[in-house]
Amino acid sequence: MVLPDPSARNRAPKNATSAERIVGNQEEVNMNNSVLLGALTVVGLAAGTSHAATLDDVKARGALNCGVNTGLVGFAAPDANGVWDGFDIGLCRAVAAAIFGDPNAVNFIPTTGQTRFTALASGEVDVLIRNSTWTYSRDTDLKFDWVGVNYYDGQGFLAPAALGVSSAKELDGATVCIQTGTTTELNLADFFRVNNITYEPVPVATDAEAQQQYLAGACDVFTTDASGLAATRATFEKPEEHILLPEIISKEPLGPLVRHGDNAWGDIIRWTYNALLSAEELGITSANVAEMAAAPTNNPEINRILGTEGEMGAMMGLEPNWAVNAIAAGGNYGELFEKNIGENTPIGLARGLNALWTQGGLQYSPPFR
Amino acid sequence: MTDAPDREQSYVRTAMLPPQTAPSTQVGAVRWVHENLLSSWLNAILTILSVYFVWTIVSSIYPWLANSVWDATSLTDCRAKMDERLGEGVRAACFAVISDRWQQLVFGFYPQNGYWRPPTALFVFLIAIAPVLFTQLPRKLLWFTMIAPILIFTLLWGGSIWAPISVALGFVIGFIAYRVIGSRFSALLAVLAAIILPILYWFTLSGTVNAALTAIAPKGLPYVESKDFGGFTLSIVIGLTSIMLSLPLGILLALGRQSNLFIINKVSVVFIEVIRGVPLIVWLFTAQLLLNYFLPKGTNFDLMLRVIIMVTLFSSAYIAEVIRGGLAALPKGQYEAADALGLDYWKSMRLIVLPQALRISIPGIVSSFIGLFKDTTLVAFIGMYDPIGLTSSIRASTDWNGVYWELYIFVGLIFFIFCFSMSRYSMYLERKLHRGNR
């Protein structure tokens, strides 16, 4: 049994918030709860470290328990009929399809910023795909494994076009709407100090409040994670009158994570994700995957992914056509991105860092070999 | 004194004057306004300021409400419709989000072909509770009250009708054991048997009985998982169940705290103080997070059931203290009179003490219940979709991101209706019960 120690505070994620969060902040725990969370997590780790053979449990259950956000624009949201959709949801469905051949064999377990890590540690969910930032202490101290990064996010600035700035470095003396008690706040202080300029913080409690303050002109710029800013801007009446400044001042790699102790299970999530990435790279889409999988193609890597050559699926304990099902579920990485958060959606995020490595981004799948 | 005729005294009026109407300043609206609004310069100024204040608020809110748009598919669509109907840039409420998503706010993710079930369950509940709340109804309705929990459970969760029936059979066994053994042996033995036999039955036979009956006559409704409950269905199920369960538990705790028996007294005191001393949100986190570790792995202990248990315990501690206040307010003579009549403890409580103590406690009990009902929104923090939780998940769709007030107004209004009816009932009850005393 590990005793709760002061570093419990470090485990607590950053932004203070409430159930009202609408946008993509990964870090949603009120600092007041962090000690509680830390203590709970420690208890959880003592009890929950030895879940072996998650795949067998999942297969026996007949459905994947996927921990998701209770509601985050573009990433995870239930529609009017209770059907979940979003960028993170797409990955849950791909994993379910890889295991069962059925993208609907998923129980979506909504988790809040406070409950997500204990839900994973206790075994209530098999995998957490809930825009959670990969950090050192979570990976080591909380004993989780991030199996990839499905969205590279970072803190940005939203400003009215009428303000006439084109770079965050021109914000000398600006008033900034900022959530208090968060590392967003610390990142902001660092950025302004490094660039030797000043700012006036306008503290707010939630993103919803920040949005109202910003629109009412109480602050010149609003800062939070860039995907959240884009989603917020999309709700404005005249989004074109507001711009996202080019500077991204922090690193927020968001990805799926699993518990320590079952590497084989982690491999399944990791390689399902890599299959979606490789599919984009190799031009396999939800539209042509069935055709490409029907007979071996000229490209041996495509054949290995789609199971028409070699025994890739069996190495993970899955069917040979696992990747075909995963890609058919919602499309490859690029399709998921474009459908949920891409430039043709109201959120309108550019690929940026999330472009494939061949196109100047960071998304890079190891080879299927 | 003489009996001289009055007419000789000319200064005495012989006919009544017809009554005159009061001066116009002393009647009707004018007088009311004068007395209540303009009785002095200070009051006149305050009145004018208040009227201005109210007017400012109403005149800014009324157009917003009156021009609201009810038929749109998204916030963008809503704004387009406002531009078209009200003119460019004029904004009003976009209640289209309610017409688009009200089913979700009411039922959560309950299967759509089962939407009739929660309202029917509520109706059954209201019929079942009526003879308890209104004493003028025929007592025979109480039989319906006894089977109502089975009906309500089946309506809400579905599954085989025999599952709740085989569980309810345990109570029947306990009752029969109590009667049979009580008439032949001692009362204490009867109570013990009435507790132990049903528990034995539940752990051994009830599963088999259920399986057997289901095999013979597979009747029932499609099963609905607890995680599909949401919105007001969730709030009402948690709220009403906890209200129903916490009252008897609270009474027992209050009596326990008054008890002279050392262990019962101390257990009650510790229970009440511990439960009451910790915020509800912590108990909910305990239910959500910690119980997972303490229970054997693989036990699928329904989250909603865990929450109901926690909320019930929490509320019963408050109810216990409210009722203890009622008990303390009773004159000592009442207890002594009960003793003098030779009543045993339970009889004196049932016939003399509790009826009076509960009557005194009604306002406190009802305000605890209203608080409990509103506290059910806290379950949003452990990832359950109560109405508040749903407002943020509705905003998480690209269609409705950016809608705030309309959702909160709707949720607030429904909560108000429920809480206001509870409050009205409590006032009715107070009036009725106090009638005899005045």
Side-chain angles (χ1 to χ4, degrees), chain A residues 205-294:
Chain A
T206 65
D207 272 357
E209 187 189 342
Q211 193 173 326
Q212 305 278 341
Q213 294 275 25
Y214 172 77
L215 284 177
C219 48
D220 298 327
V221 289
F222 169 35
T223 179
T224 186
D225 297 319
S227 63
L229 288 178
T232 300
R233 186 176 69 158
T235 72
F236 290 171
E237 271 199 79
K238 299 192 173 76
E240 65 281 0
E241 290 181 3
H242 303 268
I243 52 167
L244 289 171
L245 300 182
E247 282 82 2
I248 297 294
I249 63 171
S250 74
K251 289 189 284 189
E252 310 283 356
L254 314 180
L257 59 151
V258 296
R259 288 179 292 275
H260 270 192
D262 190 352
N263 296 19
W265 173 245
D267 288 346
I268 290 174
I269 316 288
R270 176 181 299 115
W271 286 96
T272 304
Y273 176 62
N274 286 338
L276 299 185
L277 274 185
S278 296
E280 187 186 5
E281 192 178 331
L282 298 168
I284 313 172
T285 66
S286 55
N288 67 14
V289 62
E291 183 194 330
M292 283 176 134

Side-chain angles (χ1 to χ4, degrees), chain A residues 125-138:
Chain A
V125 301
D126 304 312
V127 57
L128 189 65
I129 310 183
R130 190 200 176 278
N131 52 294
S132 300
T133 307
W134 185 357
T135 68
Y136 173 82
S137 61
R138 287 176 182 177

Side-chain angles (χ1 to χ4, degrees), chain B residues 287-288 291-292 301-310:
Chain B
Q288 154 84 347
L291 285 184
N292 269 3
F301 194 10
D302 195 85
L303 177 59
M304 193 156 148
L305 185 60
R306 283 185 262 166
V307 166
I308 288 177
I309 292 173
M310 281 301 176

Side-chain angles (χ1 to χ4, degrees), chain B residues 23 27 63 81 84 95 138 147 165 196 231 296 305 334 398 413 423 427 430 436:
Chain B
V27 286
K81 290 215 160 88
E84 180 191 317
F95 282 108
I147 59 161
I165 288 181
I196 292 169
L305 185 60
Q334 296 290 330
T398 41
L413 191 69
S423 144
M427 292 175 84
E430 276 173 61

Side-chain angles (χ1 to χ4, degrees), chain A residues 19-20 22 40 44 51 70-73 77 79-82 84 110 112 118 122 124 208 211-212 231 235-237, chain B residues 79 91 101 104 109 112 285 288-290 292-293 297 380-383 385 392-393 395-398 401-402 404 408:
Chain A
E20 296 211 349
I22 51 150
L40 293 179
H51 296 295
T70 50
L72 177 61
V73 184
D79 70 6
N81 300 317
W84 287 81
T112 66
T118 17
S122 70
E124 194 185 341
Q211 193 173 326
Q212 305 278 341
T235 72
F236 290 171
E237 271 199 79
Chain B
R79 285 172 177 157
R91 286 293 164 258
R101 293 291 190 105
Q104 204 161 42
F109 305 129
Q112 282 179 347
F285 275 123
Q288 154 84 347
L289 304 172
L290 282 185
N292 269 3
Y293 298 119
K297 181 155 164 47
F381 287 97
I382 56 171
Y385 283 112
S392 48
S393 82
R395 268 201 303 275
S397 70
T398 41
N401 188 2
Y404 298 94
Y408 289 134

Side-chain angles (χ1 to χ4, degrees), chain B residues 1-2 5 74 116 153 184 190 197 210 218 327 355 378 381:
Chain B
M1 289 291 281
T2 68
S74 70
W116 60 275
F153 178 88
R184 300 201 184 158
L197 282 181
N210 176 24
L327 291 173
L378 283 177
F381 287 97

Side-chain angles (χ1 to χ4, degrees), chain B residues 177-196:
Chain B
Y178 181 80
R179 275 300 168 87
V180 170
I181 296 178
S183 62
R184 300 201 184 158
F185 306 98
S186 76
L188 182 68
L189 212 59
V191 171
L192 281 179
I195 294 173
I196 292 169

